[in-house]
Amino acid sequence: MPMNADDIESMIRAALPDAIVEIKDLAGDGDHYAATVTSAAFRGKSRVQQHQMVYAALQGNMGGVLHALALTTVTPDI
């Protein structure tokens, strides 16, 4: 069963409360998404560490229920 975009956003926002999350269903199948996540929590972290933070927020669903996620992480300008 595919993962709902609202569930993805909720999980990310639970782990990164300040996050601005934009999700697009790339194939219309609920299985292939692109997400842009903007959070101050990414400041000072490498791109790999930022992505790991988002994957951790998804609580093991990446690669299972959530088949594909093209991820862009952004640190907000102050």
Side-chain angles (χ1 to χ4, degrees):
M1 178 179 203
M3 197 167 185
N4 182 297
D6 291 335
D7 293 338
I8 297 168
E9 181 176 352
S10 293
M11 293 175 87
I12 294 170
R13 288 187 48 78
L16 303 165
D18 74 316
I20 297 168
V21 182
E22 299 172 38
I23 298 179
K24 294 179 185 173
D25 188 340
L26 296 176
D29 60 3
D31 230 8
H32 297 83
Y33 291 100
T36 300
V37 182
T38 304
S39 174
F42 297 147
R43 190 164 280 111
K45 306 264 193 284
S46 71
R47 188 74 60 201
V48 169
Q49 290 170 320
Q50 293 171 15
H51 286 210
Q52 288 172 335
M53 291 169 70
V54 175
Y55 293 143
L58 296 172
Q59 302 173 6
N61 287 301
M62 191 64 227
V65 176
L66 179 56
H67 177 70
L69 180 67
L71 184 58
T72 302
T73 52
V74 180
T75 303
D77 294 329
I78 293 180

